[in-house]
Amino acid sequence: MPLFTALGFAMVPLGGGFFMIVLKDPDMARRVGLISTKAQLTMGAADWPTYLRFLTMAIGAGGIILFGLVAAWVFGREYSDRTAKDLLALPTSRSAIVLSKCVVIAVWSAALTVVICLITLCVGAALGLPPAAPQVFWQSGITIMVAVCLTISLTTPIAFAASAWRGYLPPIAVMILAMVVAQLTTAAGWGEYFPWAIPALFVQGEKLGAISYAIVVLTGIIGLAGTILWWELADQTR
Amino acid sequence: MNTDIETDNLVKRYGNVTAVDGVSLRVAKGEIYAFLGLNGAGKTTTIRLLLGMAKPTSGEARVLGARIRIGERKQWDSVGYLVETADAYPELTVRENLETMRRLRPGTAPQAVDRIIERLDLGAFADRCAGTLSHGNAQRLGLAKALFHNPALVILDEPASGLDPAGIVEIRNLLTELARDQGVTVFMSSHILGEVSRLAHRIGIIHHGRLLQELDMEELDRNRRRRLLLRTTNDTAARALLVGMGFSTDITSDGTIAVKDCMAIERPDDIATRLVNAGHAPTMLYVEEENLEHYFLRLVGVEEGNAN
């Protein structure tokens, strides 16, 4: 699973790098068949700001899916492998086990982000993108960091879904539902009030009020508290 | 009685289904207690209640003197368990699985992992992924996880499940040694009644969620049905003679004469003498004792494969 998530996330900078190659010389790309003659290239120029914007947008939208998959697996596998019962009558408290798993999800998600940022820098340097001001990198770095923190906060309800429905398929269904609702609320103009829409809006540069950040943090806290209470109080029958 | 497990009128309902219905049992320190019941009788639910994995609808359970309730975990340091199937993280090796469990039990020496691998004969598989183990070896790993930290009490759900005959004997010897040499209390559910009768000090029989009977092996001996089986040179005449002597007789499915009267069972030599004197010498004379399996099935109302 760690390898698959790393490979999945590595597609982001590699995909971005592909577009950088195409944007550097669209005619050459068409000639050698990299893109169709009908391709619409509206992404921007082959430079660091464009490449980093592609990266932040991908993390803002894709992070929810990838980090959600990590959370679904970390909690859901205990039920699908039927190992949850081995964690319930131990000197180590169930709350400590839940918190440890949440720390693993956060560290794993952060590590994936660091890896793709490093790949992005390497690919960009290898492609010889024109130098950019340091502020471009700092600004993108801060945007990515905040987006990742917001997205990691939203993994706790996924952890709760994995625990309550005992497996990793139900939380994936919940995640897909959240993504669909996020699209609908964003289209309706209410996205800043729906937790799963907020990271994407943030990386797009939307002006978000404190209420949006509070909604994400509160969702994270409720998800964590719910997961701990579920592990401590609910009948464990698997 | 110094008890390690004590339940008081334990009830567990799931909606309209009563899985455990007023179970009160006592397991003494150092005792091997076998918990017998058909599938769905309430064995695993009782075990989950004892381990705090489910909350009782009413009643209470005490394990190692501590009442089972939310957040109470001081007793788990001294309890090892195996519930339902023996499962492990499939992509971790046997050793890594045990090491993971060791870290979740702070204070357990690192050498405990090697010791239990050796004791349960898992050495050849120690570096194999748990997902590739045979059912029997996965069961050994499950038992290793329950025993590696030298618990004072082990709660085992079908410990011999999936083991071959040699493995069953090995586990029987292991549990006997633990109870005899280290004073470990063993609470186990089992379907392998032949093994239970060789291993257990006491037996509890649960049916439809109710504890029908608790008895030690001496009580079991007293409660077992016995009958005198005999064949003679002339069974028809012999049966008429026995009836004439005041005994009630039956004929078994293979044509053997069965006598259940105490007098006949306790003095088969007298019966033999009378038959010989009457010219119907016995060709077979045997006092048959009901085994635990028949006793259990009779008690829960399932005999000759027919559910009650």
Side-chain angles (χ1 to χ4, degrees), chain A residues 73 77-78 81-94 97 101 232-238, chain B residues 12 14 48 51-55 70 73 76-77 81 83-85 87-91 101 104-106 145:
Chain A
W73 189 75
R77 65 155 311 163
E78 299 289 357
D81 288 338
R82 302 178 67 87
T83 47
K85 58 185 185 286
D86 292 338
L87 304 175
L88 299 173
L90 295 172
T92 303
S93 74
R94 299 179 194 178
I97 287 168
K101 284 181 171 290
E232 289 284 359
L233 303 180
D235 282 352
Q236 305 288 339
T237 54
R238 280 181 74 180
Chain B
K12 182 63 184 176
Y14 294 101
R48 284 187 179 274
L51 291 167
M53 295 179 185
K55 289 186 299 297
I70 295 158
R73 59 176 197 276
W76 302 139
D77 221 5
Y81 65 92
V83 180
E84 285 187 278
T85 49
D87 297 292
Y89 298 112
E91 72 280 18
M101 293 312 294
L104 289 167
R105 292 185 176 278
K145 282 159 66 177

Side-chain angles (χ1 to χ4, degrees), chain A:
Chain A
M1 188 67 179
L3 183 65
F4 287 132
T5 53
L7 283 174
F9 226 23
M11 289 300 116
V12 172
L14 296 177
F18 169 77
F19 282 114
M20 290 301 108
I21 293 170
V22 171
L23 288 170
K24 276 178 90 171
D25 190 348
D27 291 335
M28 182 277 291
R30 283 196 175 92
R31 273 199 311 277
V32 300
L34 280 179
I35 55 171
S36 157
T37 50
K38 295 174 190 167
Q40 302 288 313
L41 296 173
T42 55
M43 195 177 165
D47 56 16
W48 279 109
T50 305
Y51 192 19
L52 293 173
R53 193 167 62 248
F54 175 81
L55 178 70
T56 52
M57 302 283 265
I59 289 174
I64 286 179
I65 297 172
L66 201 77
F67 301 169
L69 280 176
V70 170
W73 189 75
V74 166
F75 278 87
R77 65 155 311 163
E78 299 289 357
Y79 296 96
S80 51
D81 288 338
R82 302 178 67 87
T83 47
K85 58 185 185 286
D86 292 338
L87 304 175
L88 299 173
L90 295 172
T92 303
S93 74
R94 299 179 194 178
S95 304
I97 287 168
V98 171
L99 287 171
S100 306
K101 284 181 171 290
C102 288
V103 168
V104 167
I105 293 165
V107 170
W108 186 341
S109 302
L112 286 173
T113 308
V114 169
V115 167
I116 68 159
C117 287
L118 290 174
I119 294 174
T120 300
L121 293 175
C122 293
V123 171
L127 293 174
L129 296 180
Q135 294 95 305
V136 172
F137 293 96
W138 284 119
Q139 191 56 49
S140 297
I142 290 167
T143 304
I144 288 170
M145 202 168 71
V146 174
V148 166
C149 288
L150 292 174
T151 311
I152 288 172
S153 301
L154 296 173
T155 57
T156 60
I158 303 298
F160 174 78
S163 306
W165 286 293
R166 299 184 172 95
Y168 48 70
L169 287 179
I172 290 172
V174 168
M175 198 167 64
I176 291 169
L177 179 67
M179 295 295 288
V180 170
V181 176
Q183 293 295 318
L184 292 174
T185 51
T186 302
W190 298 105
E192 63 193 291
Y193 302 111
F194 185 68
W196 281 272
I198 291 167
L201 291 175
F202 172 77
V203 295
Q204 285 164 22
E206 292 280 332
K207 288 277 179 207
L208 297 172
I211 184 79
S212 296
Y213 299 103
I215 285 171
V216 171
V217 172
L218 198 62
T219 304
I221 291 170
I222 290 171
L224 180 62
T227 309
I228 288 174
L229 287 173
W230 180 269
W231 275 65
E232 289 284 359
L233 303 180
D235 282 352
Q236 305 288 339
T237 54
R238 280 181 74 180

